[in-house]
């Protein structure tokens, strides 16, 4: 009996190792990333227990289930193996086997909790298929091994023991299938992915619980293949990350494009990419991308992904809001995958939606995505007579106006900001007609070549002026200037206007008198909140300016996108509803009559909501109303 | 079939940055729709706009660098430089953007080569017996079939389908400098008299073009009456054909 | 009644205002009165000129047996260049009536039939122009006019000034170098004019004497023609015209709920279908049908809007439309201010009524 159990455990271990080898061999077909995997491997336990847990624990029941099932399975199996090792003295062997039972029983409980999640029906965000029988296999393995552990003796075979062994074996085989092709793959792939995670800066470090690593990395434009066309073009860790997806559907719940009925479901996207690596992918039993045409799927490492596993619209629906990334317990980088695929489509094939093509052409030829004259950018603030900084001149604050400056509605917000800066006695200037577009839209649409050309221009212009810091009211420009230009050789102190105003209020250079008025809710711009963690400054300002502030259910780091990011309005893919309508409904639910915004994109999208709705006002406008003259 | 697309190396009117004119992109689209080899040809030195044009589907652009009359240089190039493998087709945009911008070059070249020229080409069909069938785009969606004897020069309609911009093609495109000898450069159009000064937009004649301002308003009319008024108004505007039945007011 | 033209200060002042408004017109060159078509009745007298010092020719496409706005502007420009001593000869491509040409400012009229061979054009036109030795030849910078002008210039070697935006006797101004510059030069031998750049002739009617073209001289230098054969013109069926090129667009907004009737009406009218953003967002019409700043900008002659209020972004899409017709329940909707005919009624009721009317006629 002892030998049989030993053989069972050894076979299971060997099979898992073999499966891992097969998976590793597939991931290694991707592009190398030139980072030490050994150094990464050392970090894996910490990344699992701190960073992954941080996300999983937002849903305590899932964390509990995970701890019980995974802990029980691994601990029990290991203890049982130890307990039956030849040469193990009887008494410690017995104790260790009892320990194994102590592990297996909670493991079985975890399996039951997992089963209960899909009772009576599988919720729409969760997957069915293999996930439905996985808990049964887990239960069989745990219960079978408990029987085995109880009935192991040095001699002879018991009928009960054999039955337990058979049960455990059946469960074990099923689990192995799940490891190779099913849900359990996330365990092995997760280790590989956390070892080589493409954004090491995301992980908690000493003294920094939530570091931000959200900048897209520059593409070397002389590379033979730009962006991703086939699975082979992804990096090795990225390939592992697709296999690490556990299909929990949290991304799907958070995705604004999915909610609006556009052809994107981040979970189906990642599963599609995982399937793309294989000639015959495992069937997917979760929600598909809404209204997406049926795709053949699979194809293997050298087949084109778009057209084979993804509908083109799926790529262009993404607003790059990172809500999915924020929710992903496996820390998968969905947005990076989307951008990599868009880069392939844009740079190698020129296959972009008509609206996006127009925007990219204008960015390329006019240095302005809307095709407007650069010298018209300051028209909205012309009456305020803001000085223009000429080459060689110096000022304290450089006001980067951004694309919103062309918009009539947003001009009001900018004028409020300029008036406040004047009141605080700041010395500031704009670049006037020398300000080109920062390249945000071009980059999100995958046109890295145009982005880099614009960035070179912008960095050149900024390099010839002297200033203390850059302030902008556009979170997209803020993110690009602050986080993405350094890689191209432009490093400055960059602040969002809410940070500046917060500082002025704190220093007493602006005095606010709280105003009575209708309830105000703050809508976090993705590129300010989730991308850069600026969520407190605008709230402090609103608290100082308005008596009643409420929170929308989704706010802060988990806020919902307005639908304006990532070039999504330009691509304009088919939808059932509009994202800003959904967001405005959430604001209405919160009971607010005013929605405070801090981004020209959000302003435009939310102002575009028709019918009766809360009023849209920039934080700067609300602060100006409350400022004591 | 070998096609040559004439490129001007244009600029964007608003920003002054390099940008190929829409007509030249359309010409590249026509050249590609025929199949066979398509190359670019530019009278002048290599410029960034040529690479941007090539991104729409040209693997090579020959730049005739040197002095001399552009039409002569182009004609000589087409007749002798490509001697062994002359092109069947030369395509051009309606108007260059960044120089003289007169739209004369294809006409002068056709005159010089003695080739037939057809303008406003929106689609190209098949070639047979030395003739090429093409489609001409007329205003408001009308189309006219035409056949033209090869070799010929085609001027593309701006609305001909434009092939997408592909950065990968731009970076791979070969800009080959072909030195040409000639006397001091003269403008292609012969005389370029006059003074250049920054462009000043002039309003078009007011009152002559689009009509604005409220016209006749019928407030809550009888529905049948509204329909009649509507029909008569549309008929008066000439967008609705005369009634097929006997019309009392005809 | 004296021969002297009386000034009418009231009319002059009203010409300085936008039509129907209090706001003065934008007129950067100060030449307000001259820019407006004068509607005063013509004098019965006709100015004749027998032996002008020189000739100026205008080559004009006849539209429905007459001159359209652009054609009258071309003759007006020729008349201006001819001054008091010169004569204007109108070369009509198609039939042009002598008195209409005379009213437009032409002293002589020659007509040529439509030609099927653009290759033959320069030969034909130069044979016609030859006897006049015109100082200037004016063409429209249109699809046909621009093509003919360039063919003539290339054949004759005459200098050409295409796309002139400002013209007087001394100089013509045209954009060049990507439209970032303009070139000011003496008026060239061949000039092409875009639409609405030069005022039509508003003076005393000219003679407009019809001339017979002489027999074509057998010029030995004539090239062999026949490199181009033109086929029939196919009017695009309404459904197949791209929205941006369609001449007649009927569009549905929020006020339309019955799309079956809407489609049937569009078919009966022979119009291309458009829609507002809200309707496209709701998936009731394809995205390609969206009219407006973020959709298609139209080039139609007529736009018939059912149940559309006319958001600013939507009206931007109507930039070039000449005639707007609106059916809307709201009298204060923005589109009513833009429409030439507005019917304040429920689009849902008007559509079937109009459809029934059209069907009744067709039966």
């Amino acid at each position: 009996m002892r030998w049989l159990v030993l053989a069972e455990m050894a076979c299971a271990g060997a099979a898992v190792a073999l499966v891992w080898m097969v998976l590793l061999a597939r991931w290694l077909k991707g592009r190398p990333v030139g980072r030490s995997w050994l150094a990464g491997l050392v970090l894996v336990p910490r990344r699992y227990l701190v960073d992954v847990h941080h996300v999983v624990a937002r849903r305590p029941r899932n964390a509990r289930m995970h701890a019980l099932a995974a802990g029980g399975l691994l601990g029990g199996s290991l203890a049982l193996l130890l307990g039956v090792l030849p040469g193990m003295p009887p008494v410690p062997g017995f104790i260790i086997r009892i320990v194994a039972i102590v592990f297996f029983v909670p493991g079985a409980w975890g399996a039951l909790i997992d089963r209960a999640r899909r009772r009576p029906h599988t919720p729409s965000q969760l997957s069915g298929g293999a996930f439905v029988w996985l808990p049964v296999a887990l239960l069989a393995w745990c219960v079978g091994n408990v029987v085995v552990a109880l009935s192991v003796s040095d001699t002879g075979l018991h009928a009960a023991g054999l039955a337990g062994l058979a049960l455990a074996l059946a469960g074990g085989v099923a689990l192995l299938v799940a490891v190779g092709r099913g849900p359990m793959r996330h365990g092995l792939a997760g280790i590989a992915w956390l070892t080589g995670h493409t954004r090491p800066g995301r992980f908690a470090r000493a003294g920094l619980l939530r570091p931000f690593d959200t900048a897209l990395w520059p593409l070397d434009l002389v590379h033979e293949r730009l962006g991703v066309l086939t699975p082979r073009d992804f990096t090795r860790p990225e390939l592992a990350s697709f296999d690490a997806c556990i299909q929990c559907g949290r991304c799907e719940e958070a995705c604004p494009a999915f909610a609006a009925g556009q052809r994107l479901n981040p979970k189906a996207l990642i599963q599609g990419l995982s399937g793309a690596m294989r000639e015959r992918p495992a069937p997917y039993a979760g929600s598909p991308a809404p209204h997406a045409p049926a795709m053949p799927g699979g194809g293997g490492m050298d087949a084109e992904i778009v057209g084979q596993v993804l509908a083109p619209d799926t790529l262009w629906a993404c607003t790059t809001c990172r809500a999915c990334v924020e929710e992903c317990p496996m820390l998968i980088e969905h947005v990076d995958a989307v951008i990599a695929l868009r880069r392939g489509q844009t740079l190698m094939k020129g296959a972009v939606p008509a609206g996006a093509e127009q925007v990219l052409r204008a960015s390329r030829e006019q240095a302005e995505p809307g095709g407007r004259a650069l010298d018209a950018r300051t028209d909205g603030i012309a009456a305020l007579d803001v000085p223009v900084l000429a080459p060689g001149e110096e000022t304290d604050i450089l006001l980067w106006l951004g694309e919103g400056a062309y918009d009539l509605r947003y001009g009001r917000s900018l004028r409020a900001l300029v008036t406040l800066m004047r009141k605080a006695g700041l010395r500031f200037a704009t670049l006037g007609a020398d300000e080109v577009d920062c390249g945000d839209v071009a980059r999100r649409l995958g046109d890295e070549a145009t982005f880099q050309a614009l960035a070179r221009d912008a960095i050149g212009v900024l390099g010839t002026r002297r200033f203390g810091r850059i302030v902008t009211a556009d979170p997209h420009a803020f993110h690009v200037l602050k986080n993405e230009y350094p890689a191209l050789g432009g490093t400055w102190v960059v602040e969002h206007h809410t940070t500046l105003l917060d500082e002025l209020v704190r220093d007493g250079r602006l005095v606010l008198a709280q105003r009575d008025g209708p309830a105000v809710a703050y809508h976090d711009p993705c590129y300010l909140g989730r991308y850069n963690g600026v969520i407190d400054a605008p709230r402090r300002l609103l608290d100082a300016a308005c008596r009643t502030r409420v929170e929308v259910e989704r706010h802060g780091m988990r806020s919902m996108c307005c639908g304006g990011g990532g070039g999504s309005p330009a691509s304009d893919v088919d939808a059932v509803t509009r994202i800003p309508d959904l967001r405005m409904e959430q604001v209405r639910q919160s009971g607010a009559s005013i929605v405070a915004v801090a981004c020209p994109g959000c302003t435009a999208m939310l102002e575009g909501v028709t019918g009766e709705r809360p009023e849209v006002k920039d934080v700067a406008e609300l602060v100006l109303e409350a400022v004591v003259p | 079939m070998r096609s040559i697309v004439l490129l001007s190396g244009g600029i964007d009117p608003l920003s002054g940055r390099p940008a190929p004119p829409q007509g030249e992109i359309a010409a590249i689209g026509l050249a590609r729709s025929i199949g066979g080899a398509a190359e670019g040809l530019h009278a002048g030195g290599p410029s960034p706009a040529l690479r941007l044009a090539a991104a729409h589907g040209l693997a090579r652009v020959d730049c005739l660098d040197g002095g001399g009359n552009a039409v002569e240089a182009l004609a000589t190039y087409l007749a002798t430089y490509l001697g062994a493998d002359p092109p069947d087709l030369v395509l051009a945009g309606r108007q260059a953007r960044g120089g003289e911008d007169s739209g004369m070059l294809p006409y002068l070249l056709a005159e010089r080569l003695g080739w037939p020229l057809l303008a406003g080409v929106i689609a190209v069909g098949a070639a047979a017996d030395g003739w090429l069938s093409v489609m001409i785009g007329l205003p408001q969606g009308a189309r006219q079939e035409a056949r033209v004897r090869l070799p010929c020069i085609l001027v593309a309609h701006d609305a001909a389908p434009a092939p997408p911009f592909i950065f990968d093609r731009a970076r791979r495109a070969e800009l080959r400098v072909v030195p040409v000898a000639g006397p001091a450069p003269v403008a292609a159009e012969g005389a370029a008299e006059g003074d250049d000064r920054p462009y000043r937009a002039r309003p078009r004649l007011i009152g002559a073009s689009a009509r604005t301002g409220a016209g006749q308003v019928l407030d809550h009319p009888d529905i049948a009456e509204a329909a009649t008024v509507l029909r008569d108004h549309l008929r008066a505007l000439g967008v609705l054909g005369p009634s097929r039945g006997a019309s009392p007011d005809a | 009644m004296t021969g002297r033209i009386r000034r009418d200060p009231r009319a002059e002042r009203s010409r300085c205002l936008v039509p129907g408004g209090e706001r003065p017109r934008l007129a950067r060159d100060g030449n307000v009165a001259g820019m407006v078509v004068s509607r005063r009745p013509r004098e019965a007298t006709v100015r004749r000129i027998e032996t002008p010092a020189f000739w100026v020719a205008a080559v004009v496409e006849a539209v429905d047996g007459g001159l359209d706005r652009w054609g009258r502007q071309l003759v007006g420009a020729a008349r201006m260049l001819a001054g008091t001593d010169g004569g204007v000869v109108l070369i009509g491509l198609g039939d042009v009536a002598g008195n209409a040409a005379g009213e437009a400012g032409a002293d002589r009229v020659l007509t040529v039939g439509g030609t099927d061979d653009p290759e033959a054009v320069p030969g034909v036109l130069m044979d016609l122009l030859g006897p006049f030795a015109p100082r200037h030849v004016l063409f429209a910078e249109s699809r046909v006019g621009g093509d003919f002008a360039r063919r003539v210039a290339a054949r004759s070697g005459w200098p050409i000034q295409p796309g002139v935006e400002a013209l007087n006797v001394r100089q013509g101004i045209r954009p060049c170098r990507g439209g970032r510059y303009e070139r000011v030069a003496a008026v060239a031998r061949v000039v092409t004019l875009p639409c609405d750049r030069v005022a039509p002739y508003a003076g005393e009617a000219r003679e407009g004497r019809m001339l017979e073209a002489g027999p074509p001289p057998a010029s030995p230098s004539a090239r062999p023609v026949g490199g181009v054969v033109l086929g029939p013109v196919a009017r695009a069926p309404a459904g197949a015209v791209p929205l941006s090129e369609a001449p007649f667009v009927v569009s549905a907004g929020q006020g339309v709920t019955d799309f079956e009737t809407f489609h049937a009406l569009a078919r009966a009218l022979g119009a291309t279908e458009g829609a507002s953003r809200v309707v496209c967002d709701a998936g009731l019409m394809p995205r390609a049908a969206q009219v407006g700043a973020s959709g298609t900008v139209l080039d139609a002659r007529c736009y018939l809007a059912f149940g559309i209020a006319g958001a600013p972004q939507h009206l931007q899409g109507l930039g070039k439309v000449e005639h707007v017709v609106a059916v809307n329940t709201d009298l204060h909707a923005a589109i009513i201010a833009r429409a030439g005919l507005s019917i304040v009624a429920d689009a849902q009721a008007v559509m079937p009524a109009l459809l029934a009317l059209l069907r009744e006629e067709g039966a």
Side-chain angles (χ1 to χ4, degrees):
Chain A
M1 188 70 197
R2 180 185 287 270
W3 292 103
L4 275 177
V5 176
L6 202 59
E8 176 206 358
M9 289 299 163
C11 282
V16 168
L18 188 71
V19 166
W20 204 357
M21 289 298 154
V22 172
L23 289 172
L24 266 176
R26 189 176 289 126
W27 302 328
L28 286 174
K29 287 177 185 163
R31 287 214 280 245
V33 279
R35 256 199 308 274
S36 160
W37 61 269
L38 203 62
L41 198 58
V42 173
L43 295 169
V44 166
R46 185 181 155 79
R47 289 178 174 181
Y48 245 117
L49 296 175
V50 177
D51 297 282
V52 171
H53 177 74
H54 172 76
V55 183
V56 177
R58 289 177 199 158
R59 297 189 187 183
R61 193 171 78 145
N62 292 5
R64 212 155 47 230
M65 178 277 286
H66 208 258
L68 291 172
L73 177 78
L74 292 175
S77 305
L78 209 63
L80 188 59
L81 181 64
L82 275 177
V84 297
L85 276 182
M88 177 68 68
V91 175
F94 177 74
I95 293 169
I96 293 173
R97 288 201 299 277
I98 294 301
V99 171
I101 292 168
V102 169
F103 270 104
F104 276 130
V105 170
W109 189 19
L112 288 174
I113 297 178
D114 190 23
R115 184 80 190 95
R117 294 170 72 195
R118 289 179 173 77
R119 277 296 173 91
H121 304 293
T122 305
S124 70
Q125 84 277 11
L126 293 179
S127 292
F131 283 86
V132 178
W133 57 256
L134 176 69
V136 180
L138 201 58
L139 199 64
W141 174 258
C142 290
V143 171
N145 276 322
V146 167
V147 176
V148 168
L150 285 174
S151 53
V152 168
S153 63
D154 290 350
T155 56
L157 301 170
H158 305 274
L162 282 178
L165 193 63
L167 186 63
L169 270 177
V173 169
L175 282 178
L176 273 176
V177 173
V179 166
R181 285 173 64 81
M184 292 295 283
R185 191 174 60 202
H186 81 283
L188 299 182
I191 294 171
W193 166 231
L194 291 177
T195 301
H197 199 286
T198 47
R199 290 193 178 275
R202 271 186 74 179
F203 295 98
R205 289 188 294 269
L208 201 59
L209 189 63
R210 267 309 298 256
F212 293 89
D213 181 1
T214 52
L216 296 176
W217 46 84
L219 200 58
D220 186 359
L221 293 174
V222 298
H223 200 283
E224 176 67 22
R225 285 282 274 269
L226 302 173
V228 168
L229 293 175
T230 67
R232 207 181 278 280
D233 298 327
F234 277 114
T235 61
R236 291 165 178 179
E238 281 176 302
L239 291 178
S241 81
F242 305 145
D243 281 351
C245 170
I246 182 57
Q247 308 189 32
C248 65
R250 295 188 189 191
C251 50
E252 176 183 317
E253 290 176 293
C255 179
F258 179 79
Q262 295 179 354
R263 292 176 180 170
L264 169 63
N265 176 346
K267 172 171 132 180
L269 169 87
I270 297 298
Q271 281 303 308
L273 293 175
S274 167
M277 286 185 257
R278 296 161 170 85
E279 300 281 345
R280 281 176 297 110
Y284 170 65
S287 314
H291 311 294
M295 289 283 144
M301 294 301 288
D302 294 307
E304 296 238 348
I305 293 171
V306 175
Q308 178 74 25
V309 295
L310 295 182
D313 277 359
T314 297
L315 280 188
W316 304 106
C318 177
T319 66
T320 70
C321 73
R322 282 183 77 87
C324 49
V325 182
E326 181 68 22
E327 295 302 322
C328 181
M330 290 309 300
L331 311 180
I332 296 170
E333 290 287 344
H334 311 64
V335 174
D336 285 347
V338 166
I339 297 293
L341 285 160
R342 283 186 182 178
R343 285 174 171 175
Q345 293 299 300
T346 305
L347 298 172
M348 300 297 290
K349 315 205 93 173
V352 290
E357 194 175 354
Q358 233 175 341
V359 162
L360 291 179
R361 186 169 179 187
S363 299
R364 200 163 58 228
E365 297 179 352
Q366 280 135 8
E368 209 293 295
R372 293 158 293 203
L374 295 182
D375 56 10
R377 196 190 299 271
T378 48
D379 286 0
I381 54 166
L384 297 173
D385 222 8
V386 179
V388 172
L389 202 62
E393 290 184 351
E394 188 268 336
T395 189
D396 293 340
I397 294 177
L398 181 79
L399 186 60
W400 184 275
L401 295 172
E403 211 193 332
Y406 290 100
D407 185 59
L408 284 178
R409 163 64 187 91
Y410 200 69
R412 208 157 65 201
S413 310
L414 273 180
R415 286 194 293 276
L417 173 63
V418 168
T419 311
L420 287 169
M421 289 169 80
R422 281 265 159 78
K423 271 191 199 303
L426 300 179
R427 196 162 69 100
F428 61 98
T430 71
L431 288 173
D434 282 351
E435 183 185 322
V436 296
D437 185 65
C438 66
D440 166 69
V441 182
R443 186 168 229 198
R444 308 305 137 185
L445 287 171
D447 192 346
E448 183 70 6
T450 300
F451 166 72
Q452 289 188 15
L454 286 169
R456 261 197 310 277
D457 281 6
I459 291 170
V461 167
L462 290 169
T464 56
R465 275 87 168 162
R466 285 170 297 131
F467 46 83
R469 54 181 159 166
I470 300 173
V471 169
T472 178
D474 181 348
H476 297 262
F478 167 68
H479 172 68
V480 168
L481 290 159
K482 177 172 184 269
N483 302 323
E484 299 193 339
Y485 278 7
L488 299 166
T491 310
W492 295 279
V493 180
V494 188
E495 278 176 0
H496 188 250
H497 73 303
T498 53
T499 308
L500 173 77
L501 293 177
D502 183 43
E503 181 192 310
L504 294 174
V505 170
R506 248 188 327 199
D507 292 355
R509 299 176 76 174
L510 285 179
V511 181
L512 304 188
Q514 220 177 32
R515 279 162 56 94
D516 274 325
V520 178
Y522 176 62
H523 162 79
D524 289 89
C526 309
Y527 277 73
L528 193 62
R530 242 187 320 271
Y531 271 76
N532 287 289
V534 181
I535 53 178
D536 296 329
R539 288 183 166 78
R540 272 196 299 271
L541 280 171
L542 289 175
D543 287 338
C546 314
R547 182 134 1 241
T548 330
R549 184 171 70 79
V550 295
E551 287 287 8
V552 191
E553 192 192 339
R554 287 182 63 180
H555 64 271
M557 299 299 290
R558 304 176 76 182
S559 179
M560 183 173 145
C561 180
C562 68
S568 184
S571 304
D572 197 19
V573 301
D574 287 340
V576 174
T577 50
R578 299 176 70 244
I579 297 172
D581 291 356
L582 298 174
R583 183 60 177 163
M584 197 52 106
E585 185 51 38
Q586 295 171 2
V587 173
R588 209 178 276 131
Q589 297 282 324
S590 75
S593 303
I594 295 177
V595 51
V597 289
C599 168
C602 302
T603 309
M605 296 306 286
L606 294 177
E607 285 278 15
V609 176
T610 52
E612 279 288 302
R613 59 162 169 77
E615 195 184 354
V616 180
K617 280 193 172 178
D618 193 274
V619 172
E621 293 171 54
L622 291 165
V623 169
L624 183 63
E625 285 172 15
V627 79
V628 175
Chain B
M1 189 115 114
R2 182 164 191 186
S3 331
I4 300 275
V5 181
L6 300 181
L7 301 176
S8 66
I11 57 167
D12 180 77
L14 195 69
S15 67
R17 291 170 178 247
Q22 185 61 34
E24 287 171 19
I25 298 171
I28 295 172
L30 292 179
R32 288 179 64 84
S33 74
I34 298 165
E39 287 148 39
L41 178 59
H42 170 65
S47 79
L50 299 175
R51 209 169 269 288
L52 295 181
H56 292 276
L58 299 172
R60 199 181 75 197
V61 179
D62 279 357
C63 306
L64 309 183
D65 203 7
N69 178 303
V71 175
E72 274 312 311
L74 291 171
T76 312
Y77 171 90
L78 291 170
T80 62
Y81 192 80
L82 296 175
D85 185 14
D88 304 285
L89 199 57
V90 171
L91 296 117
R94 193 174 56 80
Q95 210 168 53
R97 210 168 57 184
E100 199 66 20
D101 303 359
S102 66
M104 279 300 289
L105 188 101
Y107 290 87
L108 292 166
L109 190 59
E111 200 66 30
R112 166 70 177 71
L113 294 170
W115 290 6
L117 175 147
L118 201 54
V121 177
I122 206 161
V124 178
D129 306 329
W131 287 75
L132 180 70
S133 65
V134 300
M135 193 67 85
I136 298 175
L138 306 182
Q140 302 190 326
R143 299 283 182 267
Q144 185 173 25
E145 282 174 36
R147 294 193 316 131
V148 55
R149 200 183 54 228
L150 293 172
C152 67
I153 296 186
L154 300 181
V155 178
H157 195 290
D158 280 356
F165 177 94
I166 303 182
F167 173 74
D168 187 46
R169 286 204 201 116
R171 63 177 183 154
R172 285 177 205 277
E174 181 195 354
L175 298 191
R176 197 172 63 169
V177 176
V178 180
V180 290
V186 289
E189 288 77 10
E193 302 288 323
D195 305 317
D196 287 3
R197 61 187 191 197
Y199 180 72
R200 192 160 65 86
R202 292 175 174 75
R204 286 169 178 263
L205 294 194
I206 306 168
S209 54
R211 154 173 194 185
T212 52
Q216 189 191 356
V217 178
L218 294 182
D219 200 354
H220 292 97
D222 173 57
I223 294 299
E225 181 203 336
T228 316
V229 170
L230 212 48
R231 180 201 60 185
D232 295 345
H233 184 73
L234 294 174
R235 195 154 280 153
L237 294 178
V239 290
L240 187 60
S243 75
R244 272 167 284 165
S247 177
D249 48 10
Chain C
M1 211 177 191
T2 65
R4 198 164 68 92
I5 299 169
R6 285 186 172 279
R7 284 189 64 193
D8 178 355
R10 194 172 306 201
E12 275 178 12
R13 198 167 56 240
S14 78
R15 264 183 244 138
C16 296
L17 301 174
V18 293
E22 304 298 320
R23 194 161 51 79
R25 289 170 188 283
L26 182 69
R28 291 182 191 155
D29 61 358
N31 181 21
V32 175
M35 293 169 74
V36 184
V37 186
S38 169
R39 292 277 172 234
R40 82 188 147 73
R42 295 272 182 186
E43 306 288 331
T45 56
V46 167
R47 276 284 285 277
R48 293 167 205 278
I49 185 162
E50 283 305 325
T51 49
F54 61 93
W55 289 99
V56 177
V59 181
V60 179
E61 286 169 77
V63 178
D64 302 332
L67 297 174
D68 64 355
R69 190 171 89 224
W70 203 347
R72 286 197 304 278
Q73 290 167 4
L74 277 175
V75 182
R79 186 65 258 159
M80 184 259 294
L81 291 176
T84 48
D85 302 335
V88 170
V89 55
L90 186 156
I91 312 282
L93 304 172
D95 284 335
V96 175
N99 57 343
E103 292 228 327
D107 299 295
R108 304 286 187 275
V109 181
L110 267 169
T111 58
V112 283
T115 172
D116 278 348
D117 185 0
E119 290 285 287
V121 163
V124 170
L125 283 180
M126 287 179 64
D127 286 345
L128 284 176
L129 292 169
F132 296 92
R135 186 180 280 182
H136 306 289
V137 187
L138 272 52
F139 291 86
E141 181 62 19
S142 62
R143 192 186 69 82
V144 170
D147 183 51
F148 286 9
R150 285 172 177 83
R151 285 181 195 276
V152 167
R155 176 69 52 86
S156 62
W158 294 343
I160 180 170
Q161 234 172 358
V164 169
E165 294 188 351
L167 182 73
N168 59 36
V169 182
R170 290 186 319 281
Q171 60 187 32
I173 302 177
R174 59 173 291 261
C176 66
R177 292 162 70 183
R180 293 170 65 75
Y181 289 84
E182 58 186 22
R183 179 160 302 155
V184 187
V187 183
R189 187 91 184 256
V190 180
V191 171
T192 71
L193 287 171
C195 197
D196 295 337
R197 289 299 184 180
V198 178
Y201 176 63
E204 199 175 0
R206 312 292 293 200
E207 184 185 1
R209 185 192 306 167
M210 302 293 290
L211 298 179
E212 289 293 317
S219 60
S221 65
R223 289 170 183 278
V225 291
V228 174
V229 179
L230 293 182
V233 172
R235 290 249 151 258
V241 189
L243 192 56
S244 57
E245 290 181 47
F248 180 21
V249 176
V250 54
S251 197
Q254 260 176 316
V256 173
T257 49
D258 177 6
F259 280 84
E260 287 301 309
T261 309
F262 175 74
H263 294 313
L265 181 60
R267 268 195 306 278
L269 289 168
T272 307
E273 293 181 2
S276 72
R277 197 202 75 192
V278 183
V279 168
C280 293
D281 279 352
L284 297 166
M285 289 280 288
R287 181 65 67 187
Q290 186 179 327
V291 173
S294 57
T296 304
V297 177
L298 302 180
D299 188 19
R301 255 171 65 72
C302 179
Y303 183 68
L304 172 54
F306 282 108
I308 291 181
Q313 288 88 345
H314 188 81
L315 293 184
Q316 278 172 35
L318 308 187
K320 289 180 266 182
V321 177
E322 220 166 320
H323 305 286
V324 175
V325 181
V327 180
N328 197 305
T329 45
D330 179 9
L331 178 61
H332 305 290
I335 198 153
I336 297 212
R338 172 76 169 80
L341 170 66
S342 310
I343 291 170
V344 182
D346 184 5
Q348 278 299 114
V350 176
M351 286 197 310
L354 181 58
L355 183 60
L357 197 64
L358 292 171
R359 285 199 170 141
E360 198 179 300
E361 274 184 358

